Amino acid sequence: MEKEILDKYTKAGKIAAQVLEYGCSLVKKDVLVVEIAEKIDKKILELKAKPAFPVNVSINDMAAHWHPALNDKATIKETDYVKIDVGVHVDGYIGDTARTVRLVGKDDLIICSEKMLENAIKIIKTGTTVGEIGETIENTAKEFGFNPIRNLTGHNLGKYDVHAGLTIPNIKNDSKYQLREDEVIAIEPFCTSGNGLVKDSGKPLIFRWINDRPTRLIEGRKILEMARDKFERLPFAKRWIQKGFSPLKVELSLKELEAVNALYGYKPLREVSGKPVAQSEHSLIVKEKPIVTTSL
Ligand code: CO
C-alpha cells in the first residue's frame, strides 16, 4: 500500500476512534439521541474528517441502521444497550468502528461482543480465511451462551465505499477466501440473547445515492444532487436534509427517489425475537501483523 493511502486510512481510523470515544461519553440518562448525533457530526468536522455514514445509534433490539430524525424524541434510559457505530473518511479512505454502552454497566452480552471482536482480531493476518474468522466469532458467542447475528457481517472498506466487495459472516461458514496483504476490512460481530437474526423494521432514516434520475419534484432533484455531490455518494441522514426543506416535501421526495431507484433507503434492522443486541467493531489493514486503524 502506498504510504500516502496508508496514512489516510490510519488518520481516518484514529479520528473515528476519537469520535466514538466522545460519542460514548455523551450517553447519559434522559439525553436526546438526536443531541448525541448532532454533537458527533460537529466533532467529526472539528477533527478535519467527514462522515462516511451517519452515526448509527441503535438501541436494545434495534441492531443497526437507526439514526434519529430531526425532531426525534427518543432518549437514553439507564438499562439501554446503546450501540454507537461511527464511520469517518479522509479523502474517501474510511475508518469504521463501534461499541456498545450501557449506563448501568457492562454485562455479559457486551463483554461477549468485545471478546468476539478481540478473538477475531487475534487470528487475522495475511492468509486467514473468512471461514476461520466466522468460526472464531461464533464459537466465542457460544461460550457465553449467546447467538451471533447471522445476517449482519463484516466487510471490506473501499475508497468512498463502506461495504466494498467482501462480506465476513459472524457465523461458521465454508469460505476458503484468504485475506490478502493490504486488504482493508471492518470486523463487526453482533451478539444477542435472542434468535440471532435481524429484519427490516420501519422506514429508512439513512439513504444513499444510486442513480441520477429525472424527478417530478424540484426538491427531489435538489436532494438527489446533494446525495451525489455534497454527500459524495456515501450514506447520509434524513435529518441532514430535513434542515433545508419543508417536512412534506422531504417525505414526498424521498418516496419518489426510492421508487425510481435514485436513492437507496436503509431500513432500521431489528432483532426478530425482540432481545437486546450488542456490537463491537474495528477497521484493520491486513498484514502479517495487521494494523487496527481504529484503535485510540
Ligand atoms: Co461496519
Side-chain angles (χ1 to χ4, degrees):
M1 186 180 284
E2 284 171 44
K3 187 175 181 304
E4 199 190 323
I5 296 176
L6 188 128
D7 286 349
K8 285 180 179 173
Y9 270 120
T10 47
K11 188 176 171 198
K14 184 75 78 187
I15 293 171
Q18 289 170 331
V19 172
L20 178 62
E21 185 76 17
Y22 170 71
C24 290
S25 78
L26 301 173
V27 176
K28 296 205 173 83
K29 190 170 177 275
D30 298 331
V31 164
L32 284 164
V33 179
V34 70
E35 229 172 78
I36 298 176
E38 273 167 9
K39 287 183 175 168
I40 286 177
D41 286 355
K42 274 201 194 120
K43 191 62 151 188
I44 293 172
L45 297 178
E46 252 174 59
L47 294 173
K48 307 269 185 287
K50 288 182 180 175
F53 53 82
V55 60
N56 289 203
V57 188
S58 307
I59 296 174
N60 297 332
D61 58 334
M62 197 60 88
H65 295 173
W66 198 84
H67 183 94
L70 192 61
N71 295 311
D72 201 283
K73 296 286 177 275
T75 56
I76 303 290
K77 287 175 244 9
E78 276 181 309
T79 53
D80 282 345
Y81 292 81
V82 185
K83 292 167 287 297
I84 301 196
D85 190 339
V86 170
V88 312
H89 76 89
V90 172
D91 297 333
Y93 300 100
I94 299 168
D96 183 0
T97 183
R99 202 188 300 164
T100 306
V101 196
R102 196 168 184 235
L103 291 172
V104 292
K106 273 188 206 176
D107 64 354
D108 273 1
L109 189 67
I110 296 176
I111 295 167
C112 174
S113 82
E114 292 173 352
K115 275 279 171 212
M116 289 158 91
L117 177 61
E118 199 182 305
N119 289 345
I121 289 175
K122 266 188 209 159
I123 65 158
I124 288 172
K125 57 179 169 49
T126 312
T128 303
T129 66
V130 164
E132 287 165 338
I133 298 170
E135 185 168 1
T136 300
I137 290 173
E138 176 164 357
N139 285 345
T140 309
K142 292 282 155 35
E143 280 165 27
F144 278 83
F146 297 123
N147 286 316
I149 304 267
R150 322 198 263 290
N151 55 346
L152 287 173
T153 66
H155 49 94
N156 272 146
L157 291 168
K159 192 179 183 192
Y160 289 105
D161 194 351
V162 183
H163 283 241
L166 189 68
T167 59
I168 305 170
N170 292 315
I171 52 166
K172 283 183 188 145
N173 63 85
D174 46 27
S175 171
K176 301 276 187 288
Y177 178 87
Q178 293 181 305
L179 295 179
R180 289 172 286 112
E181 172 97 12
D182 289 343
E183 191 160 7
V184 187
I185 56 171
I187 300 290
E188 56 177 322
F190 292 79
C191 58
T192 177
S193 50
N195 205 299
L197 203 62
V198 292
K199 60 164 193 233
D200 290 346
S201 171
K203 286 211 242 169
L205 295 155
I206 298 171
F207 295 84
R208 177 173 56 84
W209 179 94
I210 32 179
N211 285 300
D212 278 328
R213 291 268 195 264
T215 59
R216 203 168 43 79
L217 289 166
I218 180 135
E219 289 82 358
R221 200 187 73 214
K222 285 185 184 159
I223 290 168
L224 191 56
E225 278 171 11
M226 287 169 80
R228 189 191 59 208
D229 303 333
K230 185 174 181 202
F231 305 133
E232 300 171 288
R233 304 182 185 192
L234 287 162
F236 63 93
K238 181 176 176 181
R239 183 173 61 85
W240 296 345
I241 54 167
Q242 283 177 307
K243 291 176 179 170
F245 304 95
S246 84
L248 180 66
K249 290 288 164 56
V250 169
E251 294 306 322
L252 293 173
S253 298
L254 289 176
K255 209 170 162 189
E256 186 192 3
L257 292 168
E258 259 196 289
V260 299
N261 220 23
L263 287 185
Y264 177 80
Y266 296 84
K267 294 201 171 94
L269 297 170
R270 197 187 282 277
E271 213 284 322
V272 290
S273 49
K275 291 282 167 43
V277 175
Q279 172 201 20
S280 296
E281 177 176 28
H282 270 310
S283 299
L284 297 91
I285 303 173
V286 177
K287 294 190 177 290
E288 210 29 57
K289 256 187 170 297
I291 302 169
V292 180
T293 61
T294 48
S295 61
L296 264 179

